[in-house]
Amino acid sequence: MAPSQSLEITITGGGLGGLTAALALRRQGFRATVLEAAPQLGEVGAGIQTAPNASRILFGLGLRRSLERIHTAPQDQVRRRWADGSIIAQL
């Protein structure tokens, strides 16, 4: 079905994945609606870390400049053993 046939796509969840899917679909000419249970979008208290392959997708959707304005770079990285929380590596 071609986008010109106005396929309506509904996406459940307005997180990073849902919003990225909606943007990608709209760029291809589809109508995409995002449904989100939260009363408003905002920070939930955690940062988002994207791997290089995910960042390339976001850049490909035209978000490079917006992401570069708000990004932060980690100063260190700590890996802990799940069973007791002891540090097994620190960079």
Side-chain angles (χ1 to χ4, degrees):
M1 182 176 272
S4 62
Q5 294 172 314
S6 69
L7 179 64
E8 175 72 32
I9 299 169
T10 302
I11 298 167
T12 305
L16 183 60
L19 294 175
T20 301
L23 179 58
L25 288 164
R26 286 185 177 191
R27 295 271 167 97
Q28 292 298 313
F30 293 99
R31 294 186 310 151
T33 300
V34 178
L35 303 179
E36 172 56 51
Q40 67 183 34
L41 297 178
E43 291 185 31
V44 218
I48 297 173
Q49 180 177 338
T50 57
N53 56 345
S55 295
R56 278 192 290 277
I57 291 169
L58 296 172
F59 290 172
L61 291 170
L63 299 174
R64 177 185 286 271
R65 286 188 182 160
S66 295
L67 293 171
E68 286 176 343
R69 282 196 304 270
I70 62 170
H71 86 283
T72 60
Q75 295 179 358
D76 63 4
Q77 184 181 92
V78 178
R79 296 187 183 193
R80 296 180 180 271
R81 184 167 282 110
W82 72 271
D84 62 6
S86 62
I87 295 175
I88 57 175
Q90 187 168 3
L91 305 170

